[in-house]
Amino acid sequence: MKQTLAIVRWNFLGFFKNPRIIITFMLSFVLCFLLSDRAMLIAKTYESPIQLAEAFIWTFGDSTAILLCSLLLILLFIDLPKLSPFTPYMLLRVKKNQWLMAQFFYIVLVTLLYMGYVLLVTSLLCMQKAYVGNVWSKTAALLAYSAMGKKLSIPSTVKVMESTSPYECMLQIVALLICYTLTLSFLMLYFQMKKGKRVAIGAALTYSLFGFLLEPNVLAKLMGKEEYEMYQVRSLLGWISPLNHATYGMHDFGYDNLPVIWQSCLVFIVVLVVLAGFTFRVLKYFNFSAFTGE
């Protein structure tokens, strides 16, 4: 474990000075600002406060925002696995499995750092109108009990407010986001080692496009489904789409035929275990001759 953590520390060398990393976090800040602006506009217009976690909940409570947020991770993990002239030195002193496990730990830590940053940015953007009490705000009630939330595509609904508290809802959304982004990152690592960088990027984009096309409203328009048929579409896609598994509103709140939060997390864990198994298998035939990372 000590050797594995040493490789993880080496992976983080120069992390915060890397222009690609800096640009990714700057783009993430812009994305949070643009997506949270809808909710803040309502709070400013009606001069009503919001709960500190609500900006994050409304920003990343729908599938489109989750998709955009996760796509930025492609920039973070485009250089995996970490190869450099120092790599032979490490491989002479540790096993290949330890080296690959360090890449896994690196992905998990960067994903947690990224999600923590997103949570911090959304909290800072709404701080002037926010309070910390674990009670839904009047702004949330205004959006949930009127058609305003639906028109502005803000996922504040009555069933969410009745079933959970703001901080509990926030933690559940964070868990789903982390699971989804980890599957995307592990998928990139597998194809990067199997076929190369271009194929890995293509696999990540295909994975994201697959989730977008299986979004209920998008698929209903493509298939020409009527409004009364949407229940069947939502029930089916809620189970088979990875993006819907990561969307908080696409879960069962007591009267939907949809997965509950722990079931979606279990699905993601199974996918992660399968991808990890495939990656360890590819490691046996991985070519370590190119240590420049190119």
Side-chain angles (χ1 to χ4, degrees):
M1 182 58 69
K2 185 178 180 180
Q3 292 174 320
T4 302
L5 293 178
I7 300 174
V8 174
R9 289 196 300 270
W10 177 83
N11 284 352
F12 272 103
L13 289 178
F15 181 84
F16 296 103
K17 297 180 181 179
N18 191 325
R20 175 172 46 82
I21 304 298
I22 296 173
I23 291 174
T24 301
F25 279 89
M26 289 175 64
L27 289 175
S28 179
F29 179 87
V30 174
L31 178 65
C32 293
F33 175 79
L34 294 176
L35 294 177
S36 62
D37 188 58
R38 298 169 297 174
M40 292 307 301
L41 179 63
I42 299 298
K44 292 177 181 178
T45 302
Y46 291 92
E47 297 183 354
S48 57
I50 65 173
Q51 208 276 340
L52 188 63
E54 287 176 355
F56 175 81
I57 293 170
W58 298 337
T59 300
F60 296 100
D62 68 339
S63 57
T64 303
I66 294 172
L67 180 62
L68 293 173
C69 180
S70 62
L71 284 177
L72 291 176
L73 285 174
I74 297 177
L75 291 175
L76 289 179
F77 298 120
I78 202 171
D79 60 340
L80 285 179
K82 294 277 188 175
L83 296 177
S84 76
F86 187 65
T87 305
Y89 177 85
M90 291 187 293
L91 291 174
L92 287 173
R93 288 155 178 78
V94 300
K95 296 179 180 179
K96 288 185 178 181
N97 290 343
Q98 290 176 296
W99 177 84
L100 185 59
M101 187 61 66
Q103 309 305 315
F104 288 164
F105 286 157
Y106 173 77
I107 290 175
V108 172
L109 291 175
V110 172
T111 302
L112 292 175
L113 176 65
Y114 178 71
M115 295 313 307
Y117 173 79
V118 169
L119 183 59
L120 176 64
V121 168
T122 53
S123 299
L124 290 176
L125 289 174
C126 71
M127 187 169 290
Q128 288 184 338
K129 291 283 185 179
Y131 61 91
V132 296
N134 195 20
V135 180
W136 294 104
S137 67
K138 294 181 180 179
T139 306
L142 177 65
L143 293 169
Y145 288 94
S146 68
M148 193 180 305
K150 187 175 182 180
K151 290 180 180 178
L152 294 174
S153 299
I154 298 176
S156 176
T157 59
V158 177
K159 61 182 181 181
V160 172
M161 295 177 63
E162 290 178 346
S163 61
T164 184
S165 62
Y167 288 128
E168 183 182 355
C169 181
M170 178 195 71
L171 292 176
Q172 291 173 345
I173 292 176
V174 169
L176 292 173
L177 276 172
I178 289 175
C179 289
Y180 178 76
T181 52
L182 282 177
T183 55
L184 178 65
S185 306
F186 275 49
L187 182 71
M188 284 189 65
L189 177 62
Y190 167 70
F191 279 101
Q192 188 103 321
M193 298 181 65
K194 179 76 173 178
K195 295 292 184 179
K197 183 181 296 185
R198 293 183 180 179
V199 177
I201 296 174
L205 294 175
T206 302
Y207 181 75
S208 302
L209 180 63
F210 173 74
F212 176 74
L213 292 177
L214 291 184
E215 204 276 330
N217 293 327
V218 175
L219 190 63
K221 291 180 180 179
L222 293 175
M223 299 178 63
K225 294 289 185 180
E226 300 294 337
E227 185 66 28
Y228 67 90
E229 297 176 299
M230 284 299 295
Y231 176 77
Q232 297 176 342
V233 175
R234 285 173 57 86
S235 299
L236 176 63
L237 298 185
W239 286 96
I240 66 175
S241 170
L243 186 59
N244 287 331
H245 275 292
T247 305
Y248 185 79
M250 289 294 295
H251 288 83
D252 196 323
F253 294 95
Y255 39 83
D256 295 314
N257 188 23
L258 294 168
V260 295
I261 301 295
W262 70 265
Q263 288 174 329
S264 291
C265 292
L266 182 61
V267 169
F268 282 126
I269 291 173
V270 171
V271 174
L272 287 173
V273 171
V274 172
L275 288 174
F278 286 159
T279 307
F280 274 110
R281 187 175 180 180
V282 170
L283 183 64
K284 297 179 181 179
Y285 313 102
F286 185 66
N287 184 13
F288 283 96
S289 61
F291 293 110
T292 60
E294 298 296 323

